[in-house]
Amino acid sequence: MKAVIVEDHPDIAEELAQLITQHCPNVLLVGTATSVVSAAKLIHEVHPTLLFLDIELPDGTGFDLL
């Protein structure tokens, strides 16, 4: 399963990535994004099956992305 993390705080994104790597061996992290615009571009490029999505981002919300 391919996953993308959308989180604007680097420390939180890194912690989440470590937890996923340690506890979810069937989840492959294929990228991270820090904004709605960069997340939309990344999602279009890699077609993930799973999103770890922050709600409040610098240029909008996670709901705007959805």
Side-chain angles (χ1 to χ4, degrees):
M1 187 177 332
K2 295 190 299 186
V4 165
I5 296 174
V6 181
E7 172 60 62
D8 59 327
H9 293 94
D11 53 335
I12 295 173
E14 179 61 32
E15 179 71 22
L16 181 55
Q18 288 177 3
L19 288 169
I20 293 166
T21 301
Q22 291 173 359
H23 299 287
C24 304
N26 62 336
V27 175
L28 174 64
L29 291 175
V30 293
T32 61
T34 59
S35 68
V36 172
V37 171
S38 64
K41 181 179 176 184
L42 179 62
I43 291 166
H44 181 71
E45 291 173 0
V46 299
H47 302 283
T49 53
L50 182 63
L51 285 176
F52 292 91
L53 185 57
D54 190 5
I55 299 300
E56 293 192 26
L57 297 162
D59 60 345
T61 70
F63 295 109
D64 296 332
L65 179 61
L66 293 176

